[in-house]
Amino acid sequence: MGTSGFSITILNKLVESRYQVKVVATRPDKPAGRKKKLTPPPIKKTAMKLELELWQPRRWDDYWISRAAELEPDLIVTAAYGLILPEKLLKVPSYGAINVHPSLLPAYRGAAPIQRVLMDDQSFTGVTVLFMSKGIDEGDIILQEKVPIDDQDDYGKLSSRLAIRGGELLSRAIDLVAAGKEQPIPQNHLESTYAPPIAS
């Protein structure tokens, strides 16, 4: 489940792995630009090119949750998706649901961690793979890696680097989860910070 360019790299890494991607879920097409032309999310073109089944639910209601259950998935993976997953959906896969988040959680939870870390002039950030919970980016951490921020980094460059690292970290995390060898670490919620969306 993903929407932005960040999630494309994650999807490609999954497709290259030994694991089968049954369905790609993304946000619905939405109007963009001055002419308000209906525009697909970035990941949609990638999913279609890869000939993967594509879902675009507006929200995860009982209909879509039942469709997900019919797939009998082992795992749900999300990356820069942008829709809240209800607890009922998180319980569908046998191994749970995991998220690839581009920050060193519990720092920069929320929708815009890459933009906010640059705006705060930080010298490093990172990628976290975590189990999903009902709270936003509050689940237990499976793997985490620190990534330095270079002076020439802008959103595009940093996002690309984090996505590549995130894909590599995700592959390792799935292997651990599949083997039952993961050792999830609870987050310290007292140290959490929030990265709210960037207003357009």
Side-chain angles (χ1 to χ4, degrees):
M1 300 179 181
T3 299
S4 72
F6 179 87
S7 57
I8 292 174
T9 302
I10 304 299
L11 173 60
N12 284 328
K13 187 68 175 179
L14 279 174
V15 170
E16 292 167 6
S17 74
R18 62 191 176 94
Y19 299 107
Q20 178 190 3
V21 178
K22 290 188 175 182
V23 168
V24 174
T26 189
R27 304 283 294 275
D29 298 3
K30 65 179 184 179
R34 291 183 179 180
K35 296 184 178 180
K36 300 296 181 184
K37 181 180 178 182
L38 206 58
T39 304
I43 201 172
K44 182 175 181 177
K45 293 180 181 178
T46 301
M48 294 176 71
K49 185 178 179 180
L50 293 169
E51 298 182 344
L52 295 169
E53 184 174 350
L54 182 74
W55 295 356
Q56 292 183 274
R58 294 193 178 279
R59 63 185 181 90
W60 284 96
D61 55 21
D62 287 344
Y63 167 76
W64 285 107
I65 292 173
S66 66
R67 287 196 63 181
E70 289 170 4
L71 294 174
E72 298 182 345
D74 294 313
L75 192 68
I76 288 175
V77 174
T78 68
Y81 180 37
L83 276 186
I84 300 295
L85 305 190
E87 283 189 87
K88 191 174 179 180
L89 177 61
L90 297 181
K91 294 176 180 178
V92 166
S94 50
Y95 288 90
I98 61 178
N99 179 39
V100 183
H101 185 78
S103 82
L104 286 176
L105 292 172
Y108 295 98
R109 292 174 176 172
I114 302 174
Q115 295 97 322
R116 296 293 179 184
V117 79
L118 289 169
M119 291 167 68
D120 290 345
D121 200 27
Q122 298 292 323
S123 60
F124 66 88
T125 183
V127 181
T128 303
V129 180
L130 67 152
F131 281 113
M132 298 184 71
S133 65
K134 63 180 181 180
I136 297 174
D137 302 322
E138 293 182 3
D140 293 350
I141 294 169
I142 306 170
L143 290 174
Q144 193 171 58
E145 186 173 318
K146 188 175 179 179
V147 175
I149 299 175
D150 299 330
D151 291 339
Q152 68 271 25
D153 273 336
D154 56 18
Y155 172 80
K157 290 177 182 177
L158 184 56
S159 178
S160 178
R161 290 210 336 272
L162 290 172
I164 292 169
R165 294 285 186 90
E168 295 167 352
L169 213 60
L170 173 64
S171 294
R172 288 168 50 198
I174 294 176
D175 287 345
L176 288 171
V177 170
K181 294 181 179 179
E182 79 279 12
Q183 296 180 325
I185 300 170
Q187 295 186 45
N188 184 344
H189 302 303
L190 297 177
E191 295 180 355
S192 67
T193 57
Y194 185 59
I198 305 297
S200 57

